[in-house]
Amino acid sequence: MTNLIAMTAAEASTLALREEFALDENVWALGEDIGRGGVFGQYAGLQDEFGPQRVVDTPISEAAILGVAVGAAMVGSRPVVEMRFSDFALCAMDEMINQAAKARYMFGGQSKVPIVVREPTGLWRSAAAQHSQSLEAWYAHMPGLIVVCPSTPADIRGLLKASIRADDPVVFMEPKGQWQRTGEVDLDDQEPYELGKAAGRREGDDVTIVSWSTQVHVALEAAERLAEQSIESDVIDLRTIFPWDKDSVSQSVRRTGRLLVVHEAVAVGGFGGEIASWISEHEFHHLKGPVARLGAPRIPVGYAPNLEDQIRVTAENIVDRVIRMINEGEEETQV
Amino acid sequence: MNAAQPGPDGLIDGYLTMLRIREFELAAIRAHGEKLVHGTLHPYIGQEAIATGMCAHLRQDDLMLSTHRGHGHCIAKGAPLAPMMSELFGRENGLCGGKGGSMHVADFSVGMLGANGVVGANIVLAAGAAHEVKRRGEDRVVVCFFGDGAVNRGPFLEGLNWAQVFDLPVIFVCEDNQHSASTRTSTMTGGEGGGARARSIGLTTIDVDGNSLPDMLAAGKEAVSIVRSGQGPVFIHARTFRVTGHTATDLAQWRDTEEVERHAAADPLPLLRARILSEGHREDELLAEERRVRTDVQLAYDKALASALPPATRAFEDVQVTGNPQIGAF
Ligand SMILES: Cc1ncc(C[n+]2csc(CCOP(=O)(O)OP(=O)(O)O)c2C)c(N)n1
């Protein structure tokens, strides 16, 4: 049975929270201004429905918001932490990295920290250098953390539910530019999606394009254009950055022999590097040419729209890169 | 285009600076509606007396750090309007070359060390600037503006304590507009707020009606004289009210309309104007001065509009000195 309904990413978020709040009273949320719905409406109506004990407005105190969640999780609850913008989570890095990520290990498995740290991420209409960053690779680097980068309303619902139920700290990074994008969500399928599982967004045999978050939509646009030139792309939405779905990517690469990884984050030290390196090591004999990656140049995000645009990896960039891969196979990536 | 001067004519100069800020904000909001100003814009409307009264006592070589709601601070410190407006428009000749925008306006040439997108972050930076001023044995003063919401962040405690134990020449100005985004700050603040916390750390504190220019001028004067004479940091708690939404597009409809209207009706600008006239200032002269302010703002708007976008290659400049990326390199 399916019961598909079109809804926005923000609505999918409230749906997931409503479902999980109803199932488990240990689930609650805390963050600045969430009682009035949150900056993007991703908590709309929840405080009215579940009360101020379950949807908790907080002072502007990021270190305390995250630290309180860690402490509460250690004594049995499952807090959903709203950081507003991923940039502000940087004010709570000790709580995130030294505390949440390490508690289970340091204490020999006595403790768990089942928190979801929501960090809306990425470019958002000239928000400039302190409100636009994509920092998922930082978290992927930290043992103890799960990192989720959903791209659709259905994934926000299914993966948020899974993140709430996970017994690890999860960094959950919704693309800021996509909150009002609509997509179909199956109301009858209340099962959480599996963390660490990629989604195939388009099938093709000529090249594998791996991406996540907003960039998936750009990759799909590029795939459409490539198809007009009879180049068929296998587009994989990684969805979870850590753990990442090596099997799906490997299987695709074995079929296509070519891999391009694309993300909005800075290319240098970006997670694309990890994927490229892993595939080169493990699937080398299936590759027809070097693995390629595209990401932002290593510059902060500028305010003027045309400066901001310098960050973006466009569909055109992807098309060009894929055509070069197919024609030449061996050109070097400039990073 | 100068900032307000203290002295016998402080009120008129101050009024004109406040008007300059008000007209600039109205023009910026209009331009935001016209999609000429991008991103998020936090208006300073209704709080003009605070920046004006404080900065009237500063020299150009004194230093100032601002917030996300920073246009008023920038103007009061003496930044020129046209390059400011150009920055908001994201143009090449903007104060930051179009890289910063509203939330990062800065003019280091007049000691304005930047608006800041991270609430409370400027408090520790201000302590740092003051630390260096003192280390060099200079008599410069550092002023740090922030909102009532910022007193709940860790850097507030860390910055004030630092300033106190190192006895630094810094004035912390908490602009208590009673709101932080869509929250009544009082519901999220224990005890009596910033002033009480500052006192508990040992700072000299001044409580003032931030909507009254005469009161703000007096508070600013006292604070600067304490700090410049080396008697340590001062905390000013300036009471005001956020009559607008949090941003240019926020309607803040959750608020009690009666309360907002009452505060809007007590707009400091017309009240101050009436007072100036009642003290015998000629209205025709004042009207001429007001026209000049409005013309300046209109010129800034026109100039910004006529200015070019930065060349896209600028995105690759000023990242860092060593290891700056090549243009266009991924
Ligand atoms: C560390 C941090 N947390 C959250 C935000 C989002 N934010 C921007 S302005 C604001 C409200 C600030 O309130 P206040 O300090 O009182 O200043 P006001 O806006 O009233 O001038 C918030 C929460 C931020 N910019 N930085």
Side-chain angles (χ1 to χ4, degrees):
Chain A
M1 271 275 293
T2 56
N3 181 11
L4 293 177
I5 301 282
M7 64 175 73
T8 64
E11 287 164 349
S13 157
T14 57
L15 174 63
L17 292 169
R18 186 173 295 115
E19 288 171 349
E20 294 304 303
F21 273 41
L23 280 175
D24 182 354
E25 63 182 30
N26 288 315
V27 180
W28 57 294
L30 69 165
E32 300 152 13
D33 298 305
I34 65 175
R36 294 205 164 83
V39 177
F40 304 100
Q42 70 272 50
Y43 296 87
L46 293 174
Q47 195 179 60
D48 287 342
E49 195 173 333
F50 294 96
Q53 310 273 355
R54 299 289 294 282
V55 178
V56 178
D57 283 312
T58 69
I60 307 174
S61 306
E62 282 74 12
I65 296 167
L66 191 36
V68 162
V70 175
M74 283 174 162
V75 293
S77 78
R78 294 184 172 277
V80 174
V81 181
E82 180 55 55
M83 283 283 127
R84 199 175 185 121
F85 281 58
S86 65
D87 316 73
F88 307 147
L90 302 182
C91 300
M93 274 307 104
D94 174 57
E95 289 70 19
M96 182 81 136
I97 305 299
N98 286 327
Q99 313 304 333
K102 295 182 175 58
R104 175 187 290 276
Y105 189 84
M106 272 187 323
F107 301 134
Q110 298 178 82
S111 171
K112 63 176 178 180
V113 184
I115 62 175
V116 184
V117 184
R118 302 184 72 177
E119 301 194 13
T121 194
L123 297 173
W124 185 57
R125 42 167 231 218
S126 275
Q130 294 176 335
H131 288 74
S132 303
Q133 300 171 85
S134 293
L135 303 173
E136 68 272 16
W138 290 24
Y139 299 115
H141 187 70
M142 294 317 306
L145 299 179
I146 291 174
V147 187
V148 182
C149 292
S151 68
T152 67
D155 282 0
I156 284 184
R157 182 219 198 183
L159 293 169
L160 184 54
K161 288 163 68 88
S163 300
I164 289 170
R165 295 189 203 183
D167 276 340
D168 294 309
V170 179
V171 185
F172 195 88
M173 312 181 94
E174 306 95 338
K176 284 205 288 289
Q178 306 284 324
W179 283 112
Q180 292 312 314
R181 192 187 185 104
T182 54
E184 286 193 328
V185 173
D186 182 357
L187 283 188
D188 286 351
D189 179 12
Q190 300 209 4
E191 282 305 300
Y193 289 3
E194 193 180 336
L195 295 171
K197 195 100 193 76
R201 299 293 185 206
R202 183 184 175 112
E203 285 184 14
D205 289 333
D206 297 322
V207 61
T208 300
I209 304 178
V210 171
S211 193
W212 52 89
S213 198
T214 303
Q215 201 65 44
V216 170
H217 304 290
V218 184
L220 285 169
E221 195 188 319
E224 198 78 29
R225 292 200 215 163
L226 286 163
E228 289 163 13
Q229 305 183 42
S230 304
I231 298 171
E232 295 303 334
S233 313
D234 210 47
V235 179
I236 296 178
D237 179 350
L238 211 53
R239 307 202 285 189
T240 306
I241 302 307
F242 207 92
W244 66 281
D245 190 347
K246 297 183 177 106
D247 285 349
S248 292
V249 179
S250 288
Q251 277 165 26
S252 171
V253 168
R254 285 178 197 173
R255 211 172 60 244
T256 64
R258 295 187 185 90
L259 173 63
L260 170 65
V261 191
V262 197
H263 52 64
E264 187 179 298
V266 167
V268 176
F271 199 68
E274 175 63 25
I275 297 170
S277 141
W278 197 92
I279 292 293
S280 300
E281 275 183 66
H282 295 88
E283 303 295 343
F284 184 76
H285 299 295
H286 295 280
L287 289 170
K288 296 175 182 154
V291 175
R293 60 196 164 115
L294 288 173
R298 194 172 172 282
I299 60 178
V301 180
Y303 164 78
N306 67 329
L307 298 184
E308 187 187 74
D309 282 345
Q310 298 305 304
I311 296 293
R312 282 175 219 281
V313 180
T314 62
E316 197 182 349
N317 297 147
I318 297 173
V319 169
D320 289 351
R321 194 69 189 88
V322 168
I323 289 173
R324 261 171 55 203
M325 287 168 77
I326 285 175
N327 289 347
E328 296 154 36
E330 5 236 62
E331 214 164 310
E332 273 186 35
T333 324
Q334 252 190 345
V335 172
Chain B
M1 255 194 231
N2 287 324
Q5 298 300 314
D9 276 329
L11 279 196
I12 295 167
D13 281 345
Y15 167 72
L16 292 171
T17 298
M18 287 169 64
L19 185 68
R20 185 180 301 280
I21 296 170
R22 173 69 57 93
E23 293 292 327
F24 183 92
E25 290 298 55
L26 292 173
I29 291 169
R30 178 157 43 91
H32 191 265
E34 293 164 346
K35 308 233 178 292
L36 293 167
V37 172
H38 317 283
T40 306
L41 188 152
H42 304 87
Y44 194 63
I45 288 175
Q47 300 181 204
E48 297 90 347
I50 302 173
T52 303
M54 185 65 246
C55 293
H57 305 283
L58 299 182
R59 307 190 310 233
Q60 194 171 70
D61 69 340
D62 288 329
L63 303 167
M64 189 264 282
L65 291 92
S66 169
T67 66
H68 56 285
R69 204 176 294 288
H71 308 164
H73 309 142
C74 200
I75 292 171
K77 189 68 177 72
L81 298 187
M84 255 186 86
M85 193 64 91
S86 280
E87 186 58 33
L88 268 55
F89 280 43
R91 304 299 165 115
E92 178 180 24
N93 55 357
L95 285 173
C96 310
K99 281 182 170 158
S102 166
M103 260 193 288
H104 309 299
V105 283
D107 186 351
F108 278 58
S109 73
V110 299
M112 195 304 189
L113 306 188
N116 207 311
V118 181
V119 168
N122 61 348
I123 300 176
V124 276
L125 302 187
H131 199 110
E132 180 60 12
V133 164
K134 177 159 182 179
R135 207 178 62 83
R136 293 185 191 188
E138 296 171 351
D139 72 343
R140 294 199 281 175
V141 164
V142 180
V143 173
C144 179
F145 292 102
F146 48 86
D148 41 311
V151 309
N152 291 321
R153 281 215 57 224
F156 175 82
L157 171 68
E158 300 182 26
L160 265 64
N161 184 60
W162 190 288
Q164 180 67 13
V165 300
F166 288 101
D167 201 20
L168 299 180
V170 52
I171 302 168
F172 298 106
V173 185
C174 178
E175 301 189 69
D176 183 358
N177 65 13
Q178 305 182 33
H179 296 83
S180 25
S182 46
T183 295
R184 273 312 271 241
T185 314
S186 59
T187 63
M188 288 295 145
T189 307
E192 282 159 40
R197 293 175 193 184
R199 264 192 303 283
S200 79
I201 294 171
L203 275 79
T204 306
T205 64
I206 300 172
D207 186 80
V208 59
D209 175 359
N211 278 17
S212 158
L213 180 69
D215 290 2
M216 262 317 300
L217 281 168
K221 185 173 183 185
E222 185 188 347
V224 169
S225 82
I226 292 172
V227 167
R228 209 183 294 285
S229 61
Q231 297 174 68
V234 171
F235 182 94
I236 296 180
H237 177 244
R239 284 170 277 113
T240 180
F241 190 89
R242 198 191 76 200
V243 288
T244 66
H246 177 54
T247 65
T249 50
D250 171 29
L251 301 174
Q253 277 166 332
W254 53 275
R255 305 200 295 179
D256 173 9
T257 332
E258 186 278 323
E259 185 192 25
V260 176
E261 278 168 6
R262 182 159 43 80
H263 283 281
D267 186 342
L269 267 163
L271 292 176
L272 180 59
R273 187 178 196 276
R275 172 172 170 167
I276 287 169
L277 292 178
S278 77
E279 285 176 3
H281 195 77
R282 285 180 49 175
E283 184 156 29
D284 55 345
E285 283 178 9
L286 197 59
L287 280 167
E289 308 250 37
E290 289 170 337
R291 259 197 304 279
R292 208 165 302 141
V293 168
R294 294 197 172 96
T295 308
D296 282 353
V297 172
Q298 186 60 44
L299 284 174
Y301 178 100
D302 293 344
K303 199 159 176 202
L305 190 58
S307 300
L309 288 171
T313 53
R314 287 278 164 78
F316 295 84
E317 293 174 9
D318 289 325
V319 178
Q320 58 196 86
V321 175
T322 307
N324 203 77
Q326 291 168 3
I327 289 170
F330 278 108

